[in-house]
Amino acid sequence: MDDGLDMDELFGEGASLAPPLMPAPKGLVQRIEEQRSSGCCRKLAWSNLGCIASVSEDDLGISVRSLYCRPEDGDWSLSDAFPIHQVQAIHESQPLAHISWNQAGSELAVVDVLGRLSIFSIFIAINRLISSRSGLVDQPDDLGAIVGLKWLSQDRPYATYRPAVNRGAGYEYAMLQKKLLGPFHPHQSRSALVCVTRGGVVRLVYQAPDSAWLEARTELENISSSDNVLSHGSMCSDQDNTILLIVRTISYEFRLYRLGINWNAQPDPKAALAPVIEVHHLKISFPPLHSNMLSSLEGGDVEVASSELTHLEMVPVSPQTETSPQAPPTILAVYSRLPRPDDPDAEGPSTTILRYELVSEPQRLHSSFDQLASKKKGTSSADERALDLRQRESLSISKTILFLQTNPADESYLLAYSDGSVEFRHGRSMEIIAFNNDFKTVAGLPHVGFGMPPDEPCLHLAVSPNFCLAVALNPNGQVRLKRAQYMLGEPGDSPDDAKFASIICGCALQFVYSCTHHNNNDDLSALVRQLEIPNLEGEFLNEIFRAMSMSVDYSLDSQYEKLFRNPMIQRCLSMQNSLSFKGERKHRNLNAKLAWFTLHLRLVALTFAFSFNNGRTPNEKNNSETEFAKPEVLRTLLGVVRYFIDFTNLLVDELFELANFLRNQKLTLTLLQDHLTNTNALALPLLLSSVPRALIRYNSRGVRVLRHTLVTMFEPSNAARAAMLNDPSVVSSVSMLVNIVEKSPVKTTEFERFLNEVDDAIKDAYRTSEITDAGRRQAEKTLLISATIPPQLLPAVGKTLGPLLGGLRSAINPAELYFSDYSWLGMSDDRRTDEWARTNTVDAIRKISLSKATPLRQCTRCCAKMEDVKPQKGTSFWMTSLQKMCLCGSLWMLLDQSEKV
């Protein structure tokens, strides 16, 4: 090559050697234009319950998906799309402009371009939504198009957590109660939303006490010219339970309002509401909200500069923390610019975020005004406060923002970009959350090294409830799943490693936050599963119990009430089962089986609890009819009772096998634990752990009480006997229930006696070992999480498998147990059980076998199935309640192929 080659001769004098700009992804220009035109144009949303709604490519329909665990291999994936069939008819084929979930994640607001608003509610299955408010009641109008929308929060306190601090002996967690800002619907179980239209009308859409949707409305100000038409609006709650509303007109003017809602609620909860919306225009002088607008005042193009507004956000006040003072309400104005293809000097996409804090300052008048007679007694001029804007440092980013939202877990901002990346920034400074290398303080997953780097271009992006996953809508119209990645390299495999410990802490914090806020946490399970770090699952389970300061020690007192009323135990056991689930055809390991069958025992216990509680709904307090008198309840109880009876028999049979193995061998902890691990036998851990043992005791008593009640129902002295004898279905069901109990090889009375003796042996073992209360709680937690037998219980094991089991053996026929078939329980790992599971389907709630033609629901997490039974009038109250969610606490999804897109 000639070293003297003149580059100017080759390319021309002054030619740029920089590579040409990549063209904007297909559809991105149109997407930015949508954001510039309206503040309500979101087409993809992920609810706190886990339902993902997306507007179709032609803007005429909506489909829903969910994250689900695949039965084949246990991996997490996106489900198929299911359409909401009523949308197109309700909106008369008008293009849809915006979708938004309520705080609970159970109701979806759908808005079209003419301002008609419909609401759809999740009905039992997460991918089945039904219309609860039709948009046909709204008058279509161009000025009625909605430019800002906000669901009202629910009036109840939440437990939240401060950032965890590591002071050398593990992370310390501090929980505090937090109440969301109002206004609230006066009835906690009802929903409401506020929206503002292009014509400046504020609409309050709310549920009446009878669940019907009603509306109240008022005008912000009289629209006297087209310059006052609104393009963007954003709302947030303030500390006085009012709403701060900021709007922008098409003439680039910003206005701020305070909205109050007077519900005029009556003492009678059934009385109709008559809400009134109160509007106060806050006189604030807005400076130019973009740097280009400053130059436009000197002769530039105002229209071009100001038309770049794509997002207008009103962020509520953030609470004071140990490291930062309370932040006032903040206005975020986001301006995005795409380079023009014909501009040779274009420098690529850019986004500018301008921030203004809304501060209140004392406004003091001259002291002579205090002497005016018209001034109210007891006040002074110093009490009046003026609102003003305080500018914060602006932010420039060389990307295009698709959406921006706050993360309530740590008061940070989440920014999603068109290149598929997601970024977390500190709430006050807007600086990128840097990965904390010393890991002394952990506030969430972004602080310990999790992020979503760029991958493929997208037009819409929505993040999961725990910010572990995201769904992106590609330019080609496909919805794909994005997963958070650990960005700090390979961590160690023990809590002594700083990276490992911080990952455990970050995941535990996010888990407890999802529990206290009733959010779905399937995305967190998917994240932990994908990490594949040795020892991570066990340490994570141990940490979530520690973070919640939750005890699972019921060894000295079977506190059934506390056990039933604690939903956190169900959530923890559900996560424990999920982390080790490898697919329906793969055997669960011992700790997953322990969690799985404890959840089944909890379901049986709740069934008995509902049934024995007369089964009356809150509206049936004067109804003396018990659940047992209803034929459908008796039929449903057949499967549940048979399940527990067979479970009891198999548990005793496994104990016999274990006792036979240990015969003529010295009982040691190593021998016992190795045998349990090798055989995956569950009976002994179930019996020793106080949580499942308490449930077994309660259920055994429930079976005994049930039999006594059924027999008593047909005694001649029973006044209702004649009516029941006239119903053949009742007679048949009662007879079958009694036969199931009486023909069991292990009699209920004998098994209860055995349980009581085991319970006493465990109490004696703990007392004799002189273990501390804290040590006992830790031993019980380890036993429940990992099925590891604590050494303190070895004497109780010897006594249980020796004289106590010998006494039970003498009262029953062991051969009858040995030759019985309990494959349908799925508790054993033998070939017979595997073959039964391959060819049969069991309803996880009612415990009955289902035919191949039965329409099914499937749990999104544990893959359990049940018949898709739609509640009807007269259906058992407890059955209606228990079938709403799976026994693991997750939601159902439909499997009906005819309802898919």
Side-chain angles (χ1 to χ4, degrees):
M1 176 180 289
D2 186 358
D3 294 337
L5 182 63
D6 190 344
M7 301 300 289
D8 288 340
E9 292 181 4
L10 182 61
F11 293 101
E13 186 175 358
S16 173
L17 300 182
L21 289 172
M22 294 293 293
K26 174 186 174 184
L28 183 58
V29 174
Q30 179 183 352
R31 175 61 185 150
I32 295 301
E33 287 301 324
E34 288 179 350
Q35 294 178 334
R36 291 173 178 174
S37 303
S38 173
C40 278
C41 57
R42 194 165 182 185
K43 307 291 181 67
L44 185 65
W46 197 326
S47 83
N48 284 334
L49 275 184
C51 185
I52 304 165
S54 59
V55 178
S56 60
E57 197 170 2
D58 60 8
D59 289 340
L60 299 180
I62 294 179
S63 299
V64 292
R65 297 171 172 83
S66 66
L67 189 68
Y68 84 110
C69 185
R70 293 202 301 257
E72 304 84 30
D73 53 17
D75 286 341
W76 289 91
S77 180
L78 277 182
S79 70
D80 294 321
F82 280 68
I84 306 178
H85 294 292
Q86 301 161 290
V87 170
Q88 194 162 347
I90 287 176
H91 290 270
E92 297 182 327
S93 298
Q94 287 293 328
L96 304 178
H98 182 72
I99 54 177
S100 175
W101 290 101
N102 69 342
Q103 176 193 342
S106 58
E107 292 175 315
L108 178 70
V110 179
V111 177
D112 66 26
V113 294
L114 297 179
R116 287 180 295 195
L117 186 149
S118 57
I119 297 176
F120 295 87
S121 304
I122 293 177
F123 182 65
I124 298 180
I126 196 170
N127 51 359
R128 177 197 282 139
L129 275 73
I130 60 174
S131 174
S132 58
R133 184 190 191 271
S134 172
L136 293 174
V137 301
D138 299 329
Q139 187 69 29
D141 181 11
D142 287 336
L143 289 179
I146 294 174
V147 298
L149 185 148
K150 169 184 168 57
W151 284 92
L152 298 190
S153 302
Q154 293 179 311
D155 186 14
R156 60 183 180 188
Y158 290 91
T160 189
Y161 283 77
R162 293 190 177 96
V165 180
N166 191 340
R167 305 186 193 278
Y171 285 96
E172 299 175 3
Y173 301 89
M175 186 179 71
L176 65 155
Q177 290 290 323
K178 176 183 177 182
K179 186 174 181 180
L180 300 179
L181 301 176
F184 309 104
H185 195 294
H187 302 289
Q188 283 192 0
S189 60
R190 300 291 181 258
S191 299
L193 62 84
V194 178
C195 56
V196 59
T197 70
R198 192 176 296 276
V201 174
V202 178
R203 299 171 56 186
L204 171 63
V205 182
Y206 65 96
Q207 277 186 300
D210 62 356
S211 297
W213 286 93
L214 303 176
E215 182 175 340
R217 58 173 61 197
T218 190
E219 289 186 349
L220 289 176
E221 290 177 286
N222 186 27
I223 301 291
S224 57
S225 71
S226 60
D227 288 344
N228 293 325
V229 172
L230 306 182
S231 65
H232 292 75
S234 181
M235 289 169 274
C236 75
S237 299
D238 203 7
Q239 291 175 298
D240 58 355
N241 287 338
T242 60
I243 294 175
L244 289 173
L245 165 65
I246 185 171
V247 298
R248 194 199 77 154
T249 69
I250 61 173
S251 58
Y252 323 120
E253 180 185 358
F254 290 84
R255 299 172 184 170
L256 187 66
Y257 300 88
R258 187 181 297 277
L259 308 179
I261 302 176
N262 182 1
W263 291 95
N264 291 313
Q266 304 298 318
D268 182 4
K270 295 182 180 180
L273 299 172
V276 175
I277 307 171
E278 301 167 349
V279 178
H280 302 280
H281 189 176
L282 304 179
K283 303 296 183 180
I284 294 181
S285 176
F286 282 90
L289 289 183
H290 194 270
S291 57
N292 288 347
M293 293 180 67
L294 296 175
S295 62
S296 70
L297 298 178
E298 302 175 0
D301 188 348
V302 179
E303 183 175 357
V304 171
S306 62
S307 66
E308 295 178 355
L309 179 74
T310 55
H311 299 80
L312 183 62
E313 295 289 337
M314 193 78 197
V315 183
V317 58
S318 64
Q320 181 177 354
T321 65
E322 297 177 356
T323 57
S324 62
Q326 184 183 64
T330 304
I331 299 170
L332 300 180
V334 180
Y335 293 81
S336 296
R337 181 188 295 277
L338 291 177
R340 294 198 306 268
D342 58 348
D343 185 358
D345 298 324
E347 297 181 356
S350 65
T351 297
T352 301
I353 302 178
L354 300 183
R355 299 183 295 149
Y356 286 86
E357 294 179 341
L358 186 63
V359 295
S360 58
E361 301 291 346
Q363 183 179 13
R364 178 171 292 279
L365 301 175
H366 192 274
S367 58
S368 60
F369 282 89
D370 292 334
Q371 309 302 321
L372 294 177
S374 60
K375 191 167 182 65
K376 292 184 179 180
K377 184 179 180 181
T379 63
S380 76
S381 56
D383 294 328
E384 300 180 11
R385 306 183 71 85
L387 293 176
D388 198 5
L389 292 180
R390 182 170 59 201
Q391 185 173 6
R392 301 281 295 176
E393 185 179 355
S394 61
L395 180 68
S396 295
I397 305 171
S398 299
K399 294 184 180 183
T400 302
I401 289 182
L402 293 179
F403 86 98
L404 179 151
Q405 74 179 61
T406 57
N407 177 5
D410 59 3
E411 306 296 335
S412 63
Y413 291 121
L414 180 149
L415 281 66
Y417 299 103
S418 60
D419 62 359
S421 61
V422 176
E423 197 172 70
F424 292 89
R425 292 178 176 265
H426 290 286
R428 196 74 190 273
S429 65
M430 286 295 284
E431 295 177 352
I432 296 177
I433 294 178
F435 302 139
N436 196 351
N437 290 327
D438 61 5
F439 304 115
K440 294 295 184 184
T441 302
V442 173
L445 294 175
H447 298 78
V448 299
F450 288 94
M452 293 187 187
D455 47 15
E456 299 179 32
C458 60
L459 303 180
H460 300 268
L461 194 144
V463 182
S464 64
N466 298 290
F467 306 99
C468 302
L469 305 172
V471 284
L473 183 63
N474 289 351
N476 58 9
Q478 294 182 341
V479 176
R480 61 185 175 86
L481 186 66
K482 286 175 56 68
R483 302 173 186 267
Q485 301 176 21
Y486 188 66
M487 313 293 288
L488 300 183
E490 291 294 328
D493 57 2
S494 75
D496 295 331
D497 179 79
K499 291 182 181 179
F500 182 92
S502 67
I503 292 174
I504 294 296
C505 176
C507 292
L509 269 178
Q510 199 62 57
F511 176 83
V512 297
Y513 180 87
S514 70
C515 292
T516 56
H517 287 70
H518 311 286
N519 291 348
N520 178 277
N521 52 33
D522 286 346
D523 57 332
L524 184 60
S525 175
L527 176 69
V528 176
R529 283 279 302 274
Q530 83 178 32
L531 293 175
E532 296 183 347
I533 301 174
N535 304 320
L536 179 68
E537 295 175 2
E539 293 295 336
F540 169 59
L541 293 171
N542 182 72
E543 194 74 1
I544 61 179
F545 280 99
R546 196 172 75 85
M548 290 188 288
S549 300
M550 188 176 69
S551 173
V552 290
D553 178 21
Y554 295 87
S555 56
L556 301 184
D557 184 17
S558 299
Q559 305 170 61
Y560 301 122
E561 286 282 333
K562 292 183 179 179
L563 191 55
F564 292 158
R565 294 177 183 273
N566 189 351
M568 300 304 173
I569 288 183
Q570 180 192 29
R571 287 222 173 201
C572 293
L573 292 173
S574 177
M575 181 61 71
Q576 179 174 330
N577 172 67
S578 173
L579 293 179
S580 299
F581 182 72
K582 306 299 182 185
E584 286 183 322
R585 301 293 173 256
K586 300 290 182 64
H587 297 152
R588 290 179 171 86
N589 59 25
L590 196 56
N591 64 317
K593 286 177 71 174
L594 181 56
W596 178 237
F597 283 96
T598 302
L599 288 169
H600 279 276
L601 291 170
R602 181 179 180 274
L603 173 72
V604 175
L606 288 174
T607 300
F608 285 135
F610 271 106
S611 300
F612 296 150
N613 200 29
N614 259 3
R616 291 193 293 266
T617 67
N619 297 325
E620 298 174 331
K621 293 182 179 179
N622 296 325
N623 182 8
S624 60
E625 182 185 26
T626 66
E627 289 279 88
F628 294 132
K630 299 178 181 179
E632 69 274 9
V633 175
L634 292 171
R635 288 192 295 269
T636 304
L637 281 173
L638 282 171
V640 176
V641 172
R642 182 193 168 207
Y643 178 90
F644 183 69
I645 292 295
D646 284 0
F647 175 89
T648 299
N649 293 332
L650 182 56
L651 182 128
V652 173
D653 187 47
E654 282 195 3
L655 290 176
F656 284 156
E657 291 186 11
L658 180 58
N660 291 336
F661 168 78
L662 294 174
R663 186 177 301 165
N664 300 325
Q665 296 191 69
K666 183 180 179 181
L667 179 61
T668 65
L669 198 59
T670 302
L671 174 67
L672 179 63
Q673 197 67 54
D674 288 346
H675 179 75
L676 294 179
T677 302
N678 294 334
T679 61
N680 217 21
L682 184 62
L684 187 62
L686 272 174
L687 200 61
L688 294 180
S689 178
S690 60
V691 171
R693 187 173 72 253
L695 294 172
I696 293 172
R697 290 184 63 189
Y698 181 87
N699 293 336
S700 297
R701 187 179 68 180
V703 169
R704 173 169 50 83
V705 173
L706 173 65
R707 179 193 174 280
H708 173 76
T709 303
L710 294 176
V711 172
T712 304
M713 286 171 61
F714 286 89
E715 290 181 351
S717 58
N718 191 336
R721 176 175 179 269
M724 288 184 289
L725 287 174
N726 291 331
D727 189 337
S729 62
V730 172
V731 175
S732 174
S733 298
V734 169
S735 176
M736 293 176 67
L737 279 169
V738 173
N739 284 337
I740 290 174
V741 177
E742 292 185 344
K743 292 185 177 181
S744 171
V746 180
K747 303 304 178 185
T748 304
T749 54
E750 295 295 331
F751 186 67
E752 277 194 278
R753 178 186 58 78
F754 172 70
L755 284 177
N756 291 333
E757 292 173 343
V758 171
D759 212 46
D760 292 338
I762 291 175
K763 291 177 182 178
D764 290 341
Y766 275 135
R767 292 192 185 102
T768 304
S769 68
E770 298 182 353
I771 189 173
T772 63
D773 290 345
R776 189 185 65 250
R777 287 193 292 269
Q778 180 61 39
E780 286 288 335
K781 182 173 70 172
T782 303
L783 176 55
L784 183 63
I785 291 175
S786 62
T788 301
I789 310 298
Q792 293 84 0
L793 291 186
L794 197 60
V797 172
K799 188 174 183 180
T800 298
L801 298 179
L804 300 186
L805 193 61
L808 182 62
R809 184 192 296 268
S810 63
I812 64 174
N813 181 4
E816 190 176 356
L817 282 178
Y818 181 80
F819 290 106
S820 296
D821 183 9
Y822 303 115
S823 302
W824 76 288
L825 298 176
M827 190 170 164
S828 303
D829 295 340
D830 54 26
R831 291 183 179 179
R832 178 188 290 181
T833 301
D834 293 344
E835 180 62 23
W836 199 98
R838 189 182 66 83
T839 56
N840 295 272
T841 301
V842 176
D843 189 308
I845 302 297
R846 296 181 297 164
K847 309 300 183 188
I848 58 175
S849 184
L850 302 173
S851 68
K852 295 185 180 299
T854 303
L856 297 177
R857 306 178 201 144
Q858 177 178 293
C859 176
T860 59
R861 172 175 290 192
C862 71
C863 300
K865 296 178 177 63
M866 77 165 293
E867 182 179 358
D868 183 26
V869 182
K870 297 180 182 178
Q872 299 176 353
K873 188 175 181 179
T875 303
S876 161
F877 175 58
W878 71 263
M879 183 60 196
T880 303
S881 301
L882 291 181
Q883 73 164 341
K884 290 181 179 178
M885 304 185 82
C886 177
L887 60 94
C888 75
S890 196
L891 291 176
W892 301 106
M893 57 180 285
L894 294 177
L895 294 182
D896 186 356
Q897 301 293 316
S898 64
E899 299 199 36
K900 282 199 286 188
V901 174

